[in-house]
Every structure is written in structure tokens, then in C-alpha cells.
Amino acid sequence: MDALTQRARPRWDRVVRRVVAIVLGSGAALVLVLLLVSADARYLARAGVEEARILLKRRSIEKLRADSAMPAALRQRLRLVLAARAYGADSLGLAVGQTYTTYVDVGRDTLLLVLSASRRDKLREVTWTYPIVGVVPYKGFFNAAGARRAGAELEAQGLDVYLRPAGAFSTLGYFSDPLFSTAMSRDTMELVATVLHETAHNTLYVKSQTPFNESFASFVGYRGAEAFFRSRGDSLDAARAAARWRDERTLDLLYAELARRLDSAYAQGLSGPALERARATLFGWTRAQLTGPVGQSLETYDWRWFANASLNNAVVIAQRLYRMNLNVFEEVYLHARANLPEAIRAIQIRVLTQPGDDPYQALYSRPGTVD
């Protein structure tokens, strides 16, 4: 009779280590393949690396503002940022989280460049899809050369392109977004409006609805800045914030009318010289408005900037991202008896409880109502 052989008991620690090694190796291999074959994966990887570099440079604002070695002007601005954060949380009910509790000196005057593109014969934006935020009509680049290359590639495809600088961005509260040095050159009103604008994204964000998200944040930013400065007895900056909000709504109406006229022209199926003549006529009309009645009515913007800036479909789309149906938010505000926290809460409730994919439709259905 053969001798019985007893099987050794498995060494579970070795088994676990081996399984983990296999999983990690497979994951690394998958990531490598994606980076090799997918431009989007390479873009996200580069953006992630740049974001990580920025986060590693964060310094506590509380410590910086208490440091007598820091320039007095910087410490004063940092105190203003902390006061705006506190007001947003305590008085407006914004989900500020850890946003703007740290500061990063990026060492340059431009944080990132934002690329937009559109067809020339239609107001149809080029979109990109990202985790969490969904579909968005722009792409951000920390590297200027990379942004210009991407823009040139889109232009080579016959698209209208618009490349613009941005001094801030939001991760919707998923990370502790720092205040960037690029925002510090803004005047006090714009700085406070930026703080409230970005923390508004933490409070309400609808996936793949960029115009609504940015327009809501603009409403909160400027109406919030007005309320903030009034609470501090600063009537000058409060008046400037209210005037900026009026200017935003004026520009909203202008670009909405331009978009309507462009859509009407493009619906005729124009091409070649006829298309170019129609575009030139409508963009010329816009410049006449900006040098004439619309531009002259602006209280806080220099009309010459808008009148001299380039105009194409991508520019129109980008301008409307932050200014779309702003008067809808104003109506909710007035319905709430000019009570901004109540208006913000009304917008949240309607958007988050109304069925359907269009957040504007939720506001149109019962503007300003809080159940």
C-alpha cells in the first residue's frame, strides 16, 4: 500500500501577494496600452500629473496670512478670500468644503488655456467626455504649446477654434482646490465673485450641462459678491458687483440674438463664399452692437475689448457658456424677494427633484418655487 501523502496547507499570505501582483501588473499593462492607443487617455494622464504637481505645492492660507514675512497686499487678499468662503458657507449655504483653504503660486501669469471648437457652418460645438463631469464643450491645457498644437489640429479639420486663458478651475469639491496666484491680480470684487463662483460648483453641478452650471455659478458669484460687500458696508464694491451682473445679462441677450441669427443663416445650407458672406455680415452686426448701443451701455466692461476680439462660432459658444438664460436665475431671485440663500435653495430643489435632463426646464416649470 502506497504511503499516504499529506498536502501542505496553503500559505495564504503568499497567495494574496501573488494575486495582488498579478492584478497590479495587469492594471499597469492595461494603462500602458491605453496610453499608447488613446489620445484621450494620454491627455487625462498628463492633466492628472499637472494637477498632482499643483496639489503638492499647496500652502495653508491661514498660515500664510499670519506670516509677517509675506507681502502685506497678499495677506490682505488672502484674508478677503477666507472671509468670502465663510460668507458663502454661513450666509449663502454653499458647500465650500476645503476649497480655497490653501494657496499655490503657479509661477506664471496664466494657469491654463481652454480650447473650444465648432463647425463653421453650424453652431455645433466639439465636445469631450471626462469622468464625473460628463460631456463638456472645451478642453483645458496646462501646457501652452500643447494647447496651440491641439487648436491647430482642429483648425486643420476646417473648424472654428477659440483659445482663451483661465485663472481658476473647480474639481467640484472632490479635491481641496487651492486658490491660484493667477486669481490674485483680479480686483477685490472679481476675486470674491471667483471664490463664490467656484464654490457654487461644489453646491450644484449637473453632469453634461455646462452652460447651466457656469451660468448658475455666475449668478451666485456676482449676486453673492454684492451681498457679501453690502454685509461689510462696502457700498462701492457691492454696486460694482450688481453692475457686473447687469452687464452679464446684457451680453447674454446680445450673444443669444447673434446665435439665433447665425442658426437662421446656417439653416439655409450655405457653403463656400455665400457662407463666408453671411458670417461676415452677422459678425459685423455684432461688432456694431458692441461699439454702439450694447457696448456703450456696459457699466463695468470696456466695450473695446469685445469689439476688437476675434469672432467665430467657437467664440460665440464659449461666450454663451457663462451667459445662458441668466434672466431665469434673476427671476428666481426676485421671486424669492431678493433673498439670495432662498433663491439658491429654490434652484437646487427644482433642478434636483424635477424629472428630465434639462435643468433650465426645471426652472421654467415653476420658477422660484420651494415646496
Side-chain angles (χ1 to χ4, degrees):
M1 185 175 180
D2 295 336
L4 295 177
T5 303
Q6 184 176 359
R7 178 177 295 176
R9 294 181 179 180
R11 296 287 301 274
W12 291 112
D13 56 338
R14 293 182 179 177
V15 172
V16 170
R17 285 198 298 270
R18 186 169 299 174
V19 170
V20 169
I22 293 172
V23 170
L24 291 177
S26 300
L30 178 60
V31 169
L32 180 59
V33 170
L34 286 174
L35 291 175
L36 290 173
V37 302
S38 171
D40 287 339
R42 290 194 297 273
Y43 167 79
L44 289 173
R46 284 194 296 268
V49 170
E50 291 295 335
E51 174 80 2
R53 288 175 177 171
I54 288 174
L55 296 179
L56 288 173
K57 295 180 181 179
R58 290 178 298 182
R59 300 177 65 187
S60 166
I61 290 180
E62 283 284 5
K63 292 181 179 179
L64 287 174
R65 78 180 185 89
D67 185 354
S68 59
M70 298 299 295
L74 175 60
R75 287 188 285 128
Q76 183 178 9
R77 289 296 184 93
L78 294 177
R79 282 194 293 269
L80 183 64
V81 168
L82 292 180
R85 280 187 78 259
Y87 184 84
D90 300 336
S91 299
L92 302 183
L94 300 180
V96 299
Q98 294 300 307
T99 299
Y100 293 160
T101 58
T102 57
Y103 175 75
V104 171
D105 186 343
V106 299
R108 55 182 187 269
D109 59 4
T110 300
L111 174 62
L112 74 161
L113 292 173
V114 179
L115 175 66
S116 302
S118 168
R119 286 180 53 168
R120 290 180 60 82
D121 61 346
K122 290 183 187 296
L123 280 179
R124 181 177 298 173
E125 65 270 24
V126 175
T127 60
W128 292 268
T129 303
Y130 304 111
I132 301 174
V133 298
V135 179
V136 295
Y138 53 73
K139 196 172 189 177
F141 293 84
F142 289 100
N143 181 274
R148 287 190 288 269
R149 282 195 302 272
E153 290 172 1
L154 293 174
E155 284 184 328
Q157 298 173 30
L159 299 171
D160 279 348
V161 170
Y162 181 39
L163 197 60
R164 63 194 186 279
F169 65 85
S170 172
T171 61
L172 312 181
Y174 286 93
F175 297 99
S176 173
D177 290 336
L179 175 72
F180 299 109
S181 55
T182 47
M184 301 302 276
S185 61
R186 300 176 182 181
D187 61 42
T188 51
M189 184 276 289
E190 276 294 339
L191 180 59
V192 168
T194 296
V195 172
L196 298 177
H197 179 113
E198 299 302 334
T199 52
H201 286 315
N202 298 356
T203 306
L204 176 62
Y205 189 92
V206 184
K207 188 174 182 179
S208 302
Q209 295 289 339
T210 301
F212 174 86
N213 295 325
E214 295 297 349
S215 297
F216 167 72
S218 292
F219 161 68
V220 173
Y222 291 121
R223 276 300 189 191
E226 178 189 2
F228 169 79
F229 286 113
R230 289 201 188 285
S231 74
R232 294 163 65 92
D234 185 343
S235 58
L236 178 61
D237 267 334
R240 289 186 63 251
R244 177 56 61 87
W245 178 235
R246 288 193 293 272
D247 283 353
E248 293 295 329
R249 286 151 52 209
T250 296
L251 290 168
D252 174 9
L253 295 178
L254 173 65
Y255 284 109
E257 176 61 18
L258 173 58
R260 187 192 68 78
R261 294 185 180 207
L262 287 170
D263 282 336
S264 178
Y266 295 150
Q268 301 175 39
L270 302 176
S271 61
L275 172 64
E276 297 308 314
R277 284 194 298 270
R279 283 164 55 97
T281 298
L282 291 175
F283 292 144
W285 171 83
T286 307
R287 292 190 192 285
Q289 294 297 310
L290 289 168
T291 56
V294 173
Q296 299 302 318
S297 72
L298 297 177
E299 302 172 70
T300 65
Y301 282 117
D302 185 344
W303 59 268
R304 290 169 296 188
W305 185 92
F306 288 97
N308 295 328
S310 62
L311 267 176
N312 60 34
N313 289 352
V315 172
V316 175
I317 289 170
Q319 292 290 349
R320 299 205 70 208
L321 284 182
Y322 296 85
R323 306 181 183 96
M324 184 170 287
N325 299 331
L326 295 183
N327 281 329
V328 173
F329 300 102
E330 184 69 4
E331 288 172 10
V332 176
Y333 175 73
L334 296 176
H335 189 275
R337 302 172 297 280
N339 183 314
L340 184 56
E342 183 178 326
I344 293 171
R345 181 169 175 265
I347 293 168
Q348 285 181 282
I349 290 175
R350 294 310 305 163
V351 169
L352 296 177
T353 61
Q354 187 81 7
D357 297 327
D358 184 359
Y360 280 110
Q361 188 59 45
L363 300 187
Y364 288 135
S365 60
R366 293 171 63 190
T369 301
V370 179
D371 293 334

